Amino acid sequence: MKFVGFKMIIIIALSLIGSVVNSQETSEFKLPTNFKPVSYELNVVTHLEDKFMFEGVVCIRMTCVGATDTIVLHSTSLNIDTKSVVVANGGENVIPVSNVSFDTDKELMHVTSTVNFKPCDEYVLTIPFTGNLTDDPVGYYRKSYVDKESNLTRWLAVTYFEPLGARRAFPCLDEPGYKATFKIRLSHKKGLTSISNMKLMNQINCPSYSDYVVDEFEESPPMSTYLVAYMVSDFVYIDANSENDQVKYRIICRKDLANQTEFSINLGPKVIKYYEDYFDEKFPLHKQDMATIPDFPTGTMENWGLITLQESSLLIDLDVNTIDDVYSVARLVIHDLAHQWFGNLVTMKWWTGLWLNEGFAEYVGIRAVDFMFPEWKSFQVKNLRNFLLVLDPDSLQSARPLSVAIGKPDEIAPISGDPITFAKGPILLHMMNTFLGENTFKQGIRNYIHKYKFSNAEQDDLWCSLTEEAHRQGTLDKNLTVKQIMDSWTLQTGYPVLNVIRDYSAGTVTLSQERYLSIKSNGTDNKTCWWIPITMTTSGDINQTNATFWLNCENNNLTTPLAKDNEWVIYNMQMTVLFRVFYDTRNWMGIICTLNDPTKYETIPTLNRVQLILDSLSFSQVGDMDYEITFQLLKYLKHEKQYSPWFAALFSLRRIDNLLKRTPKRAVFQNNMRDILSCIYNKFRNMDDKVNGYENIKFQNLVISNACEYQTKDCIQRVLDLFRKWMKSIDPDNNNILPIELKYPIYIQAIKYGGVEEWNFLWKRYQRCNLRSEQKYMMLALASTSIESLLQRYLNWSLDDSFIPKEDASLVFYFITLNEAGFLLAKEFFYCKISEIYEYYQRQDYSLSEYVSDIASQMKTKEELEEIQSFIIKSSCYFKEPDLIIDDTIETIKSNIELTSKFYNKIELGHFDLFRIGWVLDRESRNSQLHRFPNPYGYKHESQLIKNIISDQSTL
């Protein structure tokens, strides 16, 4: 899978054409079904340092399924001597080949015979090939690093095949549905080593090259081509002392990083044992390798038996890294080990199933982290982060369904890197776990694994296994199937809002649903509806949390009894289902009264407090609810002791803060931010005090970051004092005196409020740092300066890989766009250098679309919208689908314009009193009648707002 870390978790998902899966829609772009591969014998010779190329031979044993005279398979970027291509019947009788041709657009190779291939017969296709080891990180490519001991450049060669890279390394049937066994032999120079998916069986001298050896690996089980992996390097191997003798667990990395493997080498075997128990299925291979790759293009790749990762995704120095770094490594390791069963043992039939492949590994992964490290209590935090990743992008008209039809190959990349794929899936799986129950859910998964192991399946197969088990255990009505429920969530775009309107005189409540949109469409889409499990609690019965019924298309305007004396009702207990809830004003005020009572607010569960914060802010932003109700609710934060509600409030208000950048009223906003942060800041202000516990550490980071961001003088001074003390220390690279858990916000704020000397000092630390996770935060910090000359230099360096690794160039640009002082510089840089950027990324327009998205996210005026539209049209030659880029950009900026217009005039210069008691607009009668509500506790004016900054590592 692909974790894109810092950036992709906050960019808006790219739109894709298509919604409900349609096999006819994709058949044009898939291989014909005349042949099914049985096995591959793959021999590859790797030439590093001198030729930077590889040569090889692949022998594909395949069964003819339908009569034809042509074998069609994938091949691209390879040199093939067509005269050397051989087809044999049963491996013995040579079949005459009349023609070998290539369709470069579709990356296909056609091998045509003078006679028809016969159904049920086996054939062996032998193809010799050569290819170049380029620095483009796809297929079989090269990578360099500088050996710390000798200061020499070293080279390695490694594969990256998901989704369509195997065809660049050897001719093959490169679709996930074509599983086959693989027998791999790797030849390389003596002094280097090789690894592949399977265990090394034998090494002999290479007959073709005297200074080469041949490594032969055992044959694999049936597997898809995108999971094949191999690597040649001079890396070292660290073996785990595993209790599981059947599975050898190793970490492979650069020699100078071997001391950072202790955490992961101890974790891996325990995780394998956990999944063996969870899936009730033994690990199917004899070994599991985890190989770290310098500047790996994505976070991780779950190749069967050989997971490849960024160095920061696996390696940890427990004396230097923060608890968030440790959590991140644990989650990534556990996620990719989950894939060894769900994704590798059982594989999607086609890329339409990518969401399930990734979503399930993510869900069971965060459950496993919670099991392995119960003291972290991390499940709730991660589940909340997934909601925050999904709620905004999935409320756009341009959002795509979770299960999206994949037609052309270039439609795969966008879905493999957006938050809908990785975050919405776990939310829906947690919802299923909740309404089916843990026992039903787990046994249904086990049945699915047992039934489809070593083969392919699709989401309907999983729904069927879960339905059968639910009916057997009696946890789902016999007239209802999981498919009925889940198709409404996976095949439709977006998510619903549950409208809750009470009739207080009659003692009833009416529930209805519609799609939630952050920008309202011209007409209401009454056809879109979801199967929603209804859970609720009231002020009279706070323990009522079981699902009472389902709301769906057939009962989408349902009235049920509700006691008159209940002060309030709250739906969606523990926020287990993806929907917002809109209450009538009187119900909101009843909730607000309870929240603002320090003795009662905890009667509302923590995650429901989170949802109330998220929903009220969102309804106010889109104009459905007056801001004054929302700010009345937010007053309760003064006595909130939990991290998650604070995090939700800060994250949601961040968009308001972003839209106030470069406006006169931002200073008013900042002043009130300091007011509300004053109490909680006093709790954490002593930065040398050690805070214990995962959530408390994140809480401290959140508060310190915000207090400094909003110019709390005491915070700024403490940060600068600590940073400058570090600057004066002896050997600052090996003697970082900053508090470990606060060093990242200190980096950021010290650079923001410091000068050239501080910037140059941190730049040197960045250059000498060998911890990838730490480098990322240094990159963010360096982009936080307000000194334009430094920002301009930093932008120029982003296109020079001797300063900034190529894969980090767009990250530097993104960080600078977030800086109020850097946005205009970054925008002008992109406008002037789009041609240079395009060439730097080897003409990959997807990278350019990220730059456009970064700029658009910060724009909020009609003039800016016209400006960037004009630029995209003028620069259309750099984009494959400029109209799609324009559509996404227009929607993003129009949303910003609309949101700005709704709250900007409420901010009065010199008197920003959004928490005043006043007149509020009831949704039911907002066009006719105003309702006044009293101040329940006699509070005086409290101008309190909070924001979350992207620079806080405790945010997404």
Side-chain angles (χ1 to χ4, degrees), residues 470-484:
H471 288 167
R472 188 184 71 80
Q473 293 193 24
T475 55
L476 191 66
D477 189 282
K478 293 285 186 181
N479 296 318
L480 189 58
T481 68
V482 172
K483 177 176 171 60
Q484 281 176 275

Side-chain angles (χ1 to χ4, degrees), residues 723 726-727 733 736 738 743-744 746-748 750-751 756-769 774-775 777-783:
F723 193 85
W726 179 36
M727 290 172 66
D733 295 306
N736 190 331
L738 301 179
K743 62 183 178 180
Y744 296 155
I746 290 173
Y747 292 166
I748 294 161
I751 297 302
V756 174
E757 189 177 356
E758 284 79 10
W759 199 95
N760 288 334
F761 173 82
L762 192 64
W763 173 253
K764 287 182 180 178
R765 307 289 78 74
Y766 166 79
Q767 290 178 304
R768 298 173 185 177
C769 180
E774 185 132 349
Q775 282 184 321
Y777 284 104
M778 289 179 176
M779 288 167 55
L780 173 56
L782 291 165

Side-chain angles (χ1 to χ4, degrees), residues 554-573:
E554 297 175 1
N555 65 345
N556 194 24
N557 197 28
L558 185 66
T559 300
T560 61
L562 186 67
K564 299 179 184 179
D565 57 353
N566 284 318
E567 297 172 11
W568 47 259
V569 61
I570 290 175
Y571 286 86
N572 195 18
M573 299 313 299

Side-chain angles (χ1 to χ4, degrees), residues 68-126:
T68 180
D69 65 349
T70 302
I71 300 172
V72 183
L73 67 164
H74 291 106
S75 178
T76 187
S77 303
L78 296 172
N79 302 310
I80 296 172
D81 180 2
T82 57
K83 296 180 181 179
S84 301
V85 175
V86 177
V87 181
N89 187 341
E92 297 177 0
N93 301 318
V94 174
I95 307 295
V97 174
S98 61
N99 185 48
V100 177
S101 61
F102 300 89
D103 183 338
T104 54
D105 290 338
K106 293 185 178 179
E107 301 182 342
L108 297 176
M109 176 179 179
H110 297 80
V111 180
T112 303
S113 172
T114 57
V115 297
N116 273 351
F117 299 105
K118 298 178 182 178
C120 300
D121 279 8
E122 273 198 354
Y123 298 87
V124 177
L125 172 62
T126 301

Side-chain angles (χ1 to χ4, degrees), residues 287-306:
K287 65 93 177 175
Q288 176 62 63
D289 289 336
M290 311 283 278
T292 66
I293 313 299
D295 300 323
F296 196 54
T298 65
T300 65
M301 179 57 213
E302 70 273 13
N303 315 295
W304 214 1
L306 173 53

Side-chain angles (χ1 to χ4, degrees), residues 480-762:
L480 189 58
T481 68
V482 172
K483 177 176 171 60
Q484 281 176 275
I485 299 166
M486 296 309 298
D487 277 0
S488 72
W489 293 94
T490 63
L491 302 184
Q492 292 186 133
T493 302
Y495 59 87
V497 55
L498 179 71
N499 296 306
V500 179
I501 306 298
R502 294 175 65 180
D503 185 329
Y504 293 89
S505 60
T508 61
V509 60
T510 300
L511 305 178
S512 63
Q513 63 163 301
E514 60 187 290
R515 184 183 171 193
Y516 181 76
L517 291 170
S518 57
I519 300 179
K520 302 301 180 184
S521 57
N522 293 330
T524 303
D525 181 6
N526 294 319
K527 296 181 181 179
T528 304
C529 61
W530 289 259
W531 280 78
I532 306 176
I534 299 298
T535 59
M536 52 90 75
T537 190
T538 68
S539 55
D541 182 8
I542 61 173
N543 295 315
Q544 185 179 346
T545 58
N546 294 327
T548 51
F549 56 89
W550 294 84
L551 191 70
N552 56 52
C553 294
E554 297 175 1
N555 65 345
N556 194 24
N557 197 28
L558 185 66
T559 300
T560 61
L562 186 67
K564 299 179 184 179
D565 57 353
N566 284 318
E567 297 172 11
W568 47 259
V569 61
I570 290 175
Y571 286 86
N572 195 18
M573 299 313 299
Q574 301 296 343
M575 205 168 70
T576 55
V577 188
L578 181 63
F579 63 90
R580 296 192 186 275
V581 189
F582 193 99
Y583 303 101
D584 60 76
T585 300
R586 183 171 167 182
N587 197 79
W588 275 114
M589 296 316 303
I591 292 169
I592 288 170
C593 287
T594 298
L595 285 175
N596 278 284
D597 186 338
T599 66
K600 292 183 179 179
Y601 79 98
E602 289 181 303
T603 61
I604 298 175
T606 303
L607 285 176
N608 286 101
R609 303 201 297 272
V610 166
Q611 178 155 27
L612 291 166
I613 291 168
L614 295 175
D615 289 353
S616 62
L617 276 165
S618 185
F619 294 142
S620 293
Q621 287 173 5
V622 300
D624 283 343
M625 191 166 83
D626 196 283
Y627 265 108
E628 293 186 22
I629 298 179
T630 297
F631 295 130
Q632 282 289 323
L633 186 148
L634 290 177
K635 286 199 311 182
Y636 103 91
L637 284 169
K638 70 170 66 65
H639 47 254
E640 176 60 74
K641 300 181 182 68
Q642 297 296 315
Y643 164 77
S644 292
W646 277 94
F647 177 74
L650 298 176
F651 181 91
S652 298
L653 283 165
R654 182 180 65 192
R655 187 167 191 188
I656 292 179
D657 178 76
N658 285 340
L659 294 176
L660 286 173
K661 288 179 179 177
R662 308 190 314 281
T663 71
K665 296 186 179 182
R666 195 183 186 210
V668 184
F669 192 90
Q670 290 178 321
N671 183 59
N672 286 273
M673 295 293 290
R674 292 195 294 273
D675 288 345
I676 194 171
L677 285 166
S678 59
C679 267
I680 195 69
Y681 170 69
N682 285 333
K683 178 181 178 181
F684 291 115
R685 66 193 291 266
N686 192 343
M687 300 178 193
D688 289 320
D689 286 351
K690 186 175 181 180
V691 175
N692 295 316
Y694 179 67
E695 279 197 77
N696 285 332
I697 290 171
K698 295 178 73 59
F699 206 171
Q700 183 189 39
N701 268 271
L702 194 65
V703 171
I704 296 297
S705 295
N706 279 278
C708 282
E709 175 73 11
Y710 289 101
Q711 301 178 14
T712 301
K713 290 182 180 179
D714 180 75
C715 183
I716 294 171
Q717 192 59 55
R718 286 171 181 267
V719 161
L720 287 173
D721 287 346
L722 284 168
F723 193 85
R724 287 165 180 167
K725 187 178 178 181
W726 179 36
M727 290 172 66
K728 294 176 182 177
S729 65
I730 299 173
D731 191 14
D733 295 306
N734 297 309
N735 183 33
N736 190 331
I737 63 172
L738 301 179
I740 289 178
E741 300 298 344
L742 284 174
K743 62 183 178 180
Y744 296 155
I746 290 173
Y747 292 166
I748 294 161
Q749 302 304 330
I751 297 302
K752 178 176 181 179
Y753 297 109
V756 174
E757 189 177 356
E758 284 79 10
W759 199 95
N760 288 334
F761 173 82
L762 192 64

